[in-house]
Amino acid sequence: MGHSNTLTELMLSIATGEVRVVDLTQPLEPKTPVLQLPAEFAQATPFEIGTLSEYDDRGPAWYWNWFKCSEHTGTHFDAPIHWVTGKDHENNATDTIPVENFIGPACVLDAAAEATADPDFLVTIDYIKAWEEKHGRIPARSWVLFRTDWSKRTDPEAYLNMHDDGAHTPGWAPDTIPFLAEERDILGVGVETVGTDAGQAGTFDPAYPCHTLMHGANKYGLASLTNLDQLPPTGAIVIAPPLKIVRGSGSPLRVLALAPAK
Ligand code: MN
């Protein structure tokens, strides 16, 4: 009965507001910004939507739409199979990842001030260790969420922040990724920016370290999150199951957090 009491108490706590349900998801619509890759590569398919019927002669009593987008559009999940370094892992796609791995405690690194001052701000191991001094060691199976307040940039140009030399958006110093993946054994990282790597990460060694090393370690990513400012540094739980696309490299998803009342 212990387990059922836990779940009953959780449901009561949600009903009373003692536990808040925080939506970490951006709206998904045609204007949702997508990643821009160098011109020689295939580009992300933006979100498209069309009406099948809307209580009309195509369907008198019902409204429904079709939609089309890349797997990496809007708030989305990155599976290990997304990257060449993760392609040979077992259970590395959206349909085969163990479902327990979609739920984990949140550790929120609040770098809003740093990212506002420097759009190329990178989280370092020292930064993470300073966070742990205050909030405790990052537990295994955590989602490490990188708060930058980037989601508050509602103008797509400011959000993508493209310049002649590419995007300028915050991310991870390369050596932080093996530290988080191996020494802390996290589930994955979540960011507010359009992708899990820094805008300039194509120039890093290795290039795109979060994708290369996180997926190489069979870990996950969450991109284009919002409302991270609504979460405490520790104590919240992230729920992030992607669509069960067969051999999917990722998918748009609804990301929720359960957080203690403020
Ligand atoms: Mn992605």
Side-chain angles (χ1 to χ4, degrees), residues 72 76-78 82 194 211 223:
H72 300 256
H76 71 271
F77 187 97
D78 284 3
H82 180 42
V194 73
H211 287 82

Side-chain angles (χ1 to χ4, degrees), residues 176-201:
T176 57
I177 303 301
F179 177 80
L180 290 171
E182 289 156 28
E183 293 187 42
R184 294 297 179 266
D185 195 22
I186 65 169
L187 289 174
V189 294
V191 302
E192 294 183 55
T193 44
V194 73
T196 57
D197 263 302
Q200 288 290 300

Side-chain angles (χ1 to χ4, degrees), residues 39-94:
E40 64 267 34
F41 301 123
Q43 300 298 321
T45 315
F47 186 76
E48 281 180 54
I49 189 165
T51 303
L52 289 167
S53 72
E54 191 169 1
Y55 330 116
D56 52 28
D57 53 11
R58 296 171 298 174
W62 52 91
Y63 165 61
W64 56 333
N65 300 308
W66 58 265
F67 66 85
K68 171 183 171 182
C69 61
S70 84
E71 292 169 326
H72 300 256
T73 298
T75 300
H76 71 271
F77 187 97
D78 284 3
I81 199 175
H82 180 42
W83 219 252
V84 65
T85 48
K87 74 183 177 64
D88 294 324
H89 286 302
E90 282 188 13
N91 303 324
N92 62 355
T94 47

